[in-house]
């Protein structure tokens, strides 16, 4: 890929990534972000694109979680690790896959727990955009990955960006539910306002750990009970496919 093509995919270097974000998120993140770190992150992504590496999700979908869920509308945060690294799966929302894709084990377990918790049935797909449009911020701690290389973009700088996103939500006056699955997400609990928000922690829903405390944790009903008690309304946890 040429430098020009990589720049076109990533967006302008000046003020990146703020220049790519909706105005509300950009305003909230500007005082929290180290733009020098962000410049190095963009340079690392640009170099990898120019080398011909396949990066998921595609650059135009890097910030889909923030595009679909305005800051003022966030009612719950589900924090993942990094995107799925198989072709056609990741589209910018933690745990979600595009319609027609086979459910990864972690997403299958999430929907299995949702079904048990709320009395639903397995949907046709794992497309979670309907959750995002209701104020569920589906955020990975690292927003990109290379094909077939799990965790390949950890340490490039995304953690600085997503820490700023979590901090912006944490400072909201309205109560929010933070759903932290696994150690990477759970490490964020230390700087959250526990007196204002509800923090739900459990093991990760992956096939390796879901049976050690994820199944039976009932996060979905707990989210709705908390939100309704605080006048913020329940979330319809059905996904893109018919339940």
């Amino acid at each position: 890929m040429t430098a020009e093509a990589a720049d076109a995919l990533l967006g302008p270097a000046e003020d990146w990534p703020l220049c790519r974000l909706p105005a509300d998120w950009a305003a909230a993140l500007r005082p929290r972000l180290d733009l020098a770190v962000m410049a190095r992150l963009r340079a690392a992504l640009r170099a990898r694109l120019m080398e011909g590496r396949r990066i998921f999700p595609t650059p135009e979908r890097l910030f889909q979680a923030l595009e679909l869920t305005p800051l003022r509308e966030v009612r719950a945060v589900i924090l993942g690790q990094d995107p799925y690294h198989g072709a056609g799966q990741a589209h910018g929302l933690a745990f979600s896959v595009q319609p027609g894709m086979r459910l990864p084990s972690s997403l299958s377990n999430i929907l299995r727990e949702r079904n048990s918790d709320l009395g639903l049935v397995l949907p046709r797909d794992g497309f979670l955009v309907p959750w995002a449009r209701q104020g569920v911020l589906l955020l990975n701690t690292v927003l990109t990955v290379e094909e077939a290389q799990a965790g390949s973009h950890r340490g490039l700088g995304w953690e600085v960006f997503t820490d700023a996103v979590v901090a912006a939500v944490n400072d909201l006056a309205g109560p929010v539910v933070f759903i932290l699955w696994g150690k990477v997400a759970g490490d964020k609990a230390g700087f959250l306002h526990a007196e204002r928000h509800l923090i739900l922690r459990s093991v990760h829903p992956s096939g390796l750990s879901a049976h050690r405390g994820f199944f039976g944790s009932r996060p979905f009903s707990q989210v709705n009970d908390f939100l309704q008690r605080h006048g913020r309304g329940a979330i319809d946890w059905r996904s893109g496919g018919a339940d």
Side-chain angles (χ1 to χ4, degrees):
M1 180 180 294
T2 66
E4 292 77 12
D7 286 334
L9 286 172
L10 291 170
E14 185 178 357
D15 214 26
W16 192 91
L18 298 173
C19 62
R20 289 280 313 273
L21 303 181
D24 60 339
W25 281 108
L29 297 184
R30 184 175 297 278
R32 294 179 165 90
L33 277 181
D34 184 332
L35 292 183
V37 174
M38 295 298 96
R40 291 195 292 272
L41 168 61
R42 184 187 182 280
L45 295 174
R46 182 176 184 268
R48 285 159 172 76
L49 288 170
M50 291 172 61
E51 291 169 1
R53 303 190 201 183
R54 296 189 72 186
I55 293 176
F56 303 134
T58 52
E60 66 272 15
R61 289 177 167 169
L62 286 182
F63 304 107
Q64 189 170 49
L66 307 187
E67 291 164 0
L68 291 175
T69 309
L71 175 59
R72 66 186 179 278
E73 295 179 14
V74 175
R75 293 190 286 165
V77 178
I78 295 179
L79 198 59
Q81 296 183 20
D82 51 4
Y84 299 122
H85 52 80
Q89 293 179 306
H91 63 104
L93 300 181
F95 296 108
S96 181
V97 293
Q98 299 189 73
M101 296 301 299
R102 181 179 179 181
L103 298 182
S105 63
S106 57
L107 178 56
S108 179
N109 289 336
I110 288 168
L111 295 175
R112 178 179 166 187
E113 175 61 21
R114 180 209 64 164
N115 297 350
S116 174
D117 189 3
L118 302 177
L120 299 175
V121 297
L122 195 67
R124 287 195 305 266
D125 59 53
F127 190 58
L128 304 183
V129 165
W131 296 7
R133 293 194 185 280
Q134 296 179 77
V136 181
L137 181 63
L138 294 160
L139 181 71
N140 281 313
T141 54
V142 174
L143 298 192
T144 54
V145 71
E146 290 173 33
E147 184 175 24
Q149 297 184 52
S152 51
H153 285 188
R154 294 176 191 172
L156 292 184
W158 280 125
E159 295 88 349
V160 173
F161 177 81
T162 55
D163 278 355
V165 172
V166 172
V169 176
N170 187 48
D171 285 346
L172 291 173
V176 171
V177 185
F178 288 88
I179 304 169
L180 310 178
W181 291 329
K183 184 181 185 306
V184 172
D187 287 345
K188 309 294 184 189
F191 65 83
L192 299 177
H193 297 315
E195 70 282 358
R196 182 187 308 166
H197 307 302
L198 176 64
I199 302 170
L200 301 178
R201 300 179 64 175
S202 80
V203 299
H204 196 272
S206 73
L208 297 174
S209 58
H211 289 279
R212 300 201 300 266
F214 176 75
F215 290 132
S217 60
R218 304 194 64 192
F220 304 97
S221 60
Q222 289 189 70
V223 169
N224 281 351
D225 288 347
F226 178 84
L227 292 176
Q228 289 177 300
R229 287 200 312 270
H230 289 85
R232 303 210 66 191
I235 291 165
D236 181 352
W237 289 108
R238 287 173 291 183
S239 56
D243 285 303

